[in-house]
Each structure stands twice: as C-alpha cells, then as structure tokens.
Amino acid sequence: QVQLVESGGGLVQAGGSLRLSCAASGRTFSTYIMGWFRQAPGKERELVAGIRRSGGTPYYADSVKGRFTISRDNAKNTVYLQMNSLKPEDTAVYYCAADKWGGVIGRRVSEYEHWGQGTQVTVSS
C-alpha cells in the first residue's frame, strides 16, 4: 500500500507558475509508475503527465507539452509537476496517482490503484 499527499496548489495569474509535489508513504515508491491527473468541473479526469519507475521518457498530454514537466525523486518518495505558462484552462483539481502493476504509463483512471486527495489549481485571466 502507498498513501499519496499532494501539495503546492493555489491561485495564480495566467502566465504564472506553480510546482505541485506528491509525497508517498512506504518504502516501495520506486516500484510505482506515477501520474498526475486533473479534473475540471463537469469534465472527466484526464492524465496530464506520467513518469516511469526509474524516470526516463515521460508522457505529456498535448495540452501541456512544453509547459509542464514531471519529475520524481525516488530517494525522497516524491513526484513533482512543474507547471509554467499557466492558462485559465489549466484550472482543475490535480491528483497524484500510483500504478503498481503497469508495464507502460497508463492513461486511464482505472489503471492507477492509489490516489491522493487532490489539490486545487486556479488560474485567473
């Protein structure tokens, strides 16, 4: 089992930056594929970025490519999402998720077994 706790959300003006962090409990963090999802009001939860167990080439949704960067520090049991050039359409609750068994970075909610409680990101125009 792993427990995930997100932090770093908040209110920012368009064009600004935020860095989200997700701290994981336990000793097996490095065995999980990690993902950052977001869910805006009235919309489905979508994968924004994902990273493999040892890093490597991450996945990014087209809507955030070139603006967001996912990274992980397995020694600190933490995954990060650096968000630059934020837009009002990035406004959502952002969730950290962990996939124990996948062989690739899954894009579906159902592929992730563990979830954080979410952190609100609001981008004003």
Side-chain angles (χ1 to χ4, degrees), residues 9-16 18 20 37-46 48 63-64 67-68 81 83-95 119-125:
L11 173 64
V12 64
Q13 289 189 332
L18 283 174
L20 305 183
F37 285 76
R38 69 185 180 188
Q39 187 166 20
K43 294 189 177 181
E44 292 186 352
R45 194 171 296 190
E46 62 172 351
V48 172
S63 57
V64 307
R67 301 189 298 121
F68 290 12
L81 186 67
M83 304 186 295
N84 298 329
S85 302
L86 283 161
K87 304 176 181 180
E89 51 264 43
D90 294 318
T91 295
V93 178
Y94 283 71
Y95 297 90
T119 185
Q120 177 70 46
V121 171
T122 302
V123 184
S124 64
S125 57

Side-chain angles (χ1 to χ4, degrees), residues 14-80:
S17 298
L18 283 174
R19 188 195 197 200
L20 305 183
S21 298
C22 172
S25 64
R27 304 178 184 178
T28 60
F29 176 73
S30 64
T31 66
Y32 289 84
I33 291 172
M34 299 300 297
W36 282 101
F37 285 76
R38 69 185 180 188
Q39 187 166 20
K43 294 189 177 181
E44 292 186 352
R45 194 171 296 190
E46 62 172 351
L47 179 67
V48 172
I51 189 167
R52 292 177 172 81
R53 294 172 178 85
S54 57
T57 304
Y59 165 84
Y60 295 103
D62 287 343
S63 57
V64 307
K65 279 181 181 176
R67 301 189 298 121
F68 290 12
T69 302
I70 188 171
S71 61
R72 67 189 296 164
D73 186 336
N74 286 342
K76 295 183 178 179
N77 282 10
T78 303
V79 62
Y80 305 95

